[in-house]
Amino acid sequence: ALYRGLDSWDEVVGRIRGLHTDTLRKLSSKCEDRFMAGQKDHLRFGTHSWSHFRLTTGKPCCEAGDAVYYTASYAKDPLVSYAIKICRSDMNDTQQQFFHSLAVRQSLPVHFNIQQDCGHFLADVPVRMLPWEEEDEDGEEKEGDMETNAERGGKLKDSQASSSNDKLGEAAGNLKTAGGLRSRVVVITREVPFQTVADFVRAGASRHESHPELYERQVCLLLLQLCSGLEHMKPYHVTHCDLRLENLLLVQCQPGNPWNLDFLEPNNNSSSNSGASAAATTTCPARLIISNFSQAKQKSSLMASDPGTLRNRSRLAPEIITDTQYRKCDEFQTGILIYEMLHRPNPFEEVPDLKEQEYTWEDLPPLPVRSLYSQGLQQLARLLLTVNPSERIQISEARACLQCLLWGPREDLFQALGCSSVSGATAGQREATLQNWLDLKRTLMMIKFAERSLDTACSVSLEDWLCCQYLASATIDTLSLVVHILQQP
Amino acid sequence: ALYRGLDSWDEVVGRIRGLHTDTLRKLSSKCEDRFMAGQKDHLRFGTHSWSHFRLTTGKPCCEAGDAVYYTASYAKDPLVSYAIKICRSDMNDTQQQFFHSLAVRQSLPVHFNIQQDCGHFLADVPVRMLPWEEEDEDGEEKEGDMETNAERGGKLKDSQASSSNDKLGEAAGNLKTAGGLRSRVVVITREVPFQTVADFVRAGASRHESHPELYERQVCLLLLQLCSGLEHMKPYHVTHCDLRLENLLLVQCQPGNPWNLDFLEPNNNSSSNSGASAAATTTCPARLIISNFSQAKQKSSLMASDPGTLRNRSRLAPEIITDTQYRKCDEFQTGILIYEMLHRPNPFEEVPDLKEQEYTWEDLPPLPVRSLYSQGLQQLARLLLTVNPSERIQISEARACLQCLLWGPREDLFQALGCSSVSGATAGQREATLQNWLDLKRTLMMIKFAERSLDTACSVSLEDWLCCQYLASATIDTLSLVVHILQQP
C-alpha cells in the first residue's frame, strides 16, 4: 500500500512527510524512555530505609533555595545514586510547606523537568548535615570564640570522613553524643543536582563575556526546559509562584547507552563533581529540574465543581479570584528569569515603581545584544512581562518561541520570507517556504539519528531529544504563529 | 548555506536527495567497517604459529569441495575463532594448485565475499584430521575388517577428545606413534565456514516446498553476494572458472555492536553449530565466501602490455584467446547455479547435446514458479546462460537485477509504470515514478537506521547493509536499465 500512487509526486511527498513525522514522534518517545529510565518505576522509601542510605561525601552536592542536597547510595542498590534533600527552614514551617508542596506535586504526573520524590519521611539527621542551623545558633558567639570554632571544624572533618563509609542511621547513632540529632523531613530523589541555575549564572558571568553565543544558547536550552515543565503543570491548574534561580536545579544528563546502564547507575550521577565543568562547556548544560513547590497555587478541582462556590465566584471581578490572579504568574516570573540569567537585574527590583504604572515595553530596560539569541530573548522577555495578563503570552507560546530561537527558522529566513509585511511575499509563498524549511530540517534530523546508529557510542544528547520533540510536533501553522509572535513590533 | 534557496521547492528536493545519497554512502561504508572489522588488519601466520593453534572441536566445521575446515583458536588471542583449511587432494597436486590460487587471490584486494588467508604454510597434520585420506588408503581392506575399523573408531574418539585441549603441535607430537603425521599445506582464515552452499541447498529442499518465498529470497541474497564478489574480480581480470555449490562457503554474520566486539571475537564464530539453523530461518542466511581459486584464470597484465605478444594476439580470432574465452565464464556458471540452488539439475548435464547447438532460451528448461522471485530468477538464468558470450549479460548487470528482485522496484510497479511498451506512459512519466520510488525507499531506509540508533541492540543486519549499498548507488538511469533488462521478452 505504501507504494501505491507512486506516479503522483504530491502523494509521495505527503507520504514521506507522514513517515518523517511518525518516526520523529517514535524517536522522541524512545528518547524519553531512555532519558527517564528508572524514573517511571515508582520507588517509595520510608523511614525504615533511612539506615540503608550512605552519604557518598560529607559535603552537600548542591545548596538550593529551600534545601541542601547530599549524594547518597542505597545499600540494596549501591550503584544508583540518590539525593537526600534536607529542607533549610525551621521545623514547623518546613513541615507545613512540605506537606503543601507534596500535595501539589503528587497531583502532577511524572515529568522530566519537575522534581519527583522517591519517598519522604521524618528522620533523625546528624547536626553536621545541617550546617546552616549551627551557624544560626552560633550567631551570637561567633566573634571572640575562635578556638571553639576551630575545634568544631576539626570534629566536623572527622565525622565527614567517617560518614562516607558508615550507614546513615548508625553514623547518626555514633554522633548522638558528639553533635546530636535533629528530627527533620527528609526527601529522597533520584535526580542528584550538582548546582542550581543561580550557581550556573554566577559561574557563567565571565563566559557570557567571552563566549556569548554559547552562553546564551545554554540559557535558551534551560529556559526551554523550564517552560516545558511549567507547561506540563497547566492542565493540572498548578502555578509555581516562586520561580527563582535558586529553585531551579541542574542535574547531569548523559543518558548513555543501554549497555552502560546495566553497569552504571541509570541516572549517571557518579561524577557529579564534573557536572559544573561539563555544564560550562557543552551546548546543553544539563537537565533542569523545577523544585520547591512551597509557594505553589493549585486551583482546587473540588471547589470549582461545587455549584455553590461557582455561583459565588461568578459575581467577582476576575482579578480578585486567586486562580485567575495567579494564572499568568509563572509567565511573568519566567520573564524576570530571562533578565537574571543574562546577568541583568530584575527590572522591577531596579525600578520598584514600575509595577504601579501601566508600563509598556519601552519602560523595560533593554538587554544588550551579544549573540544571535539576544534579540529573541529580549522579545520573549517583553512578551512575558506584559503588564496586562490577558495580553501576556502563554507558557506554551514561550516554549515555541524558544524552540524557534534554538533550531530555527531563523531571522534571516524570515527576512528572505518577507515575513516583515514590507516585502510582498504572499501567504502561500511563505507557507511553502516554511514547509520546505521543515522538510529539510526533518531530513537532517533523521540523518543525524541514522548516522548515530553506527556510532560507537550510539548515544543521543539531551539537545537532540529536545530538537526531536520540536520537529515532531511542528506544523506550518505553529511555525507561522511563532514567526508572527517573534516579529511583533 | 544549506538553508539558502528555501523558497524553491525544486532546490530543496535536490538538496534532500543529495543529503540522502551522501548519508547512505556514509552508512554503507560504516557498515563495511563493522562487518569487516578485524579483517582489514593483515595477519600473517607462519609455520612457527602452528603449535599455538588449538582445535575447538575434533570434527570439521565444514567440508568443502577442495578442503576440510576445522575451527581453531590461537593461543595469543584465544577469543577469536579461526578456520584451519586443509586441502583434500594429494600432496603434489595441492601444492601446485595452491600456489596458483594463492597468486590469483593475492592479486585481489580484500573483499567481503572472497576468501582471504591469514597465513599458509607446510605443517605436520595429524592423520586423524585427514579422514578422507585414511578412507582412501583403507579402500581395499574396507570389507571384512570390521574389527580394525571399530578399533580405529575408538582411537579417533580419544584423540578428538584430547585435541580440544592440546596444542596442535604437541597433539601432533603425541599422535606420531598412534596415527602419524602428514606434511600438508595449511591455510588459516578468519572466516569460519559452517557449511557450503551445497549443504544449504540440500538442507533447503523441504523448506523450498514449505516456505518458497523465504527460501527463494535467501537464494537471491546468496546470489547477490556471489555476484558482488565476482564483480570485484573483474577489474583484476580474474575469472574463477569453477563456481560450484561446494566451492561457495557460508559464514555466520552477526556483526554485533562495537561493545560486544570488545569482548567477543570480531567474526562471531563462537556458535558455529547454530549457524545452519540460523541460516535456515533468517532472511539473509549468511555471508557467502567464494573459495577454491585453483581453476582461476587471470589475464596477465605483463603479457598484455608486451607489444610483441599484443601484435601476435591481434591476429587471432577472439574465441581462441584464452582471456576472451573465459571472459564470461563465471556468468555462465552463475546461471547454472541458479538452477541448482532452486533444486533443478544443471540443464547442460540433463541434455548434454544442448551446448552443441545454438540453443535459445526456449531450449532451457523452465523453472517452476513458486514465489515472487521465481520469474525474475528464471529471466536472470536465461540472460546468464545465453549461448553467445557477447549477448550474455555481465555480472554487474546480474547483480543489479538481483538487487531489483530483492528490494524493488517490483513487477507491480512496472505494470503501473506502463513499462511494458503496450501502455502509453511516456519516458518522462516513467522516470518521475522511478524517482518517486527511490525517494520513498531512501526515506524508509533512513528511518530504519534512525530507529535503530535507539534500539537496545543497535545492530545492523547484513541485509540492511546490502540494501543500503543498493540505495546509495541507484540512480534513475541504473534503475531504468535493470527494469528494461528484466522486462526483455
Side-chain angles (χ1 to χ4, degrees), chain A residues 2-3 5-9 12-13 15-17 19-20 22-23 26-28 30-31 34 257-260 407 413 416 429 432-437 439-441 443-447 449-460, chain B residues 2-3 5-9 12-13 15-17 19-20 22-23 26-28 30-31 34 257-260 407 413 416 429 432-437 439-441 443-447 449-460:
Chain A
L2 202 57
Y3 294 102
L6 272 186
D7 44 346
S8 154
W9 175 233
V12 171
V13 170
R15 224 167 301 162
I16 289 180
R17 280 184 192 142
L19 284 167
H20 274 168
D22 290 350
T23 308
K26 226 187 282 178
L27 289 174
S28 178
K30 277 193 188 178
C31 282
R34 191 175 281 197
N257 57 64
W259 293 278
N260 285 348
W407 300 295
L413 184 63
Q429 284 168 338
T433 306
L434 283 177
Q435 182 68 60
N436 290 349
W437 175 85
D439 286 337
L440 188 56
K441 201 76 185 176
T443 304
L444 289 169
M445 195 68 193
M446 209 58 70
I447 287 176
F449 273 97
E451 292 191 338
R452 189 146 291 160
S453 71
L454 291 172
D455 275 357
T456 329
C458 209
S459 68
V460 179
Chain B
L2 203 56
Y3 295 102
L6 273 185
D7 44 345
S8 154
W9 174 233
V12 171
V13 170
R15 224 167 302 161
I16 289 180
R17 280 183 192 143
L19 285 168
H20 274 169
D22 291 350
T23 309
K26 225 187 284 178
L27 290 174
S28 178
K30 278 194 188 178
C31 282
R34 191 175 281 197
N257 57 64
W259 294 277
N260 285 347
W407 299 296
L413 183 63
Q429 285 169 336
T433 306
L434 283 176
Q435 182 67 61
N436 290 349
W437 175 85
D439 286 338
L440 188 56
K441 200 78 184 177
T443 303
L444 289 169
M445 195 68 193
M446 209 59 69
I447 288 176
F449 273 96
E451 292 191 338
R452 189 146 291 157
S453 71
L454 291 172
D455 276 356
T456 329
C458 206
S459 69
V460 179

Side-chain angles (χ1 to χ4, degrees), chain B residues 232-440:
Chain B
H232 180 73
M233 288 152 50
K234 290 283 174 190
Y236 307 95
H237 309 288
V238 173
T239 313
H240 186 280
C241 293
D242 198 21
L243 296 175
R244 302 167 178 279
L245 296 176
E246 57 271 28
N247 286 334
L248 305 175
L249 311 178
L250 296 184
V251 174
Q252 256 195 305
C253 193
Q254 286 141 4
N257 57 64
W259 294 277
N260 285 347
L261 288 183
D262 293 340
F263 305 109
L264 300 174
E265 73 276 38
N267 42 4
N268 269 288
N269 286 309
S270 54
S271 52
S272 315
N273 294 339
S274 65
S277 63
T281 50
T282 56
T283 323
C284 190
R287 169 178 179 180
L288 179 139
I289 301 245
I290 303 171
S291 80
N292 190 7
F293 282 75
S294 59
Q295 306 298 318
K297 305 280 176 285
Q298 181 162 33
K299 183 166 122 188
S300 157
S301 50
L302 236 173
M303 196 166 62
S305 62
D306 172 42
T309 322
L310 251 178
R311 212 172 310 123
N312 287 338
R313 285 159 54 95
S314 66
R315 304 194 65 83
L316 293 173
E319 65 274 19
I320 311 230
I321 301 172
T322 321
D323 302 340
T324 319
Q325 264 181 329
Y326 285 102
R327 202 169 39 92
K328 293 267 187 89
C329 169
D330 285 352
E331 278 82 350
F332 188 83
Q333 293 187 335
T334 303
I336 293 171
L337 288 175
I338 294 179
Y339 274 87
E340 291 175 336
M341 290 174 84
L342 295 177
H343 300 108
R344 291 279 134 177
N346 171 358
F348 303 96
E349 213 168 79
E350 285 271 279
V351 189
D353 294 346
L354 208 54
K355 271 192 198 166
E356 308 302 315
Q357 334 154 8
E358 284 274 312
Y359 64 88
T360 65
W361 288 3
E362 274 69 49
D363 300 320
L364 294 171
L367 286 165
V369 177
R370 292 186 173 175
S371 81
L372 270 180
Y373 309 100
S374 311
Q375 278 185 310
L377 287 170
Q378 169 77 81
Q379 174 76 355
L380 187 58
R382 284 174 177 165
L383 293 162
L384 288 167
L385 293 173
T386 301
V387 65
N388 182 347
S390 40
E391 286 167 21
R392 199 175 298 155
I393 61 165
Q394 296 180 346
I395 209 73
S396 59
E397 292 169 321
R399 185 256 308 146
C401 289
L402 287 161
Q403 290 174 319
C404 177
L405 283 178
L406 282 162
W407 299 296
R410 288 271 168 78
E411 268 286 287
D412 51 348
L413 183 63
F414 299 175
Q415 303 295 331
L417 270 173
C419 283
S420 48
S421 48
V422 187
S423 148
T426 67
Q429 285 169 336
R430 251 178 277 162
E431 280 188 12
T433 306
L434 283 176
Q435 182 67 61
N436 290 349
W437 175 85
L438 192 57
D439 286 338
L440 188 56

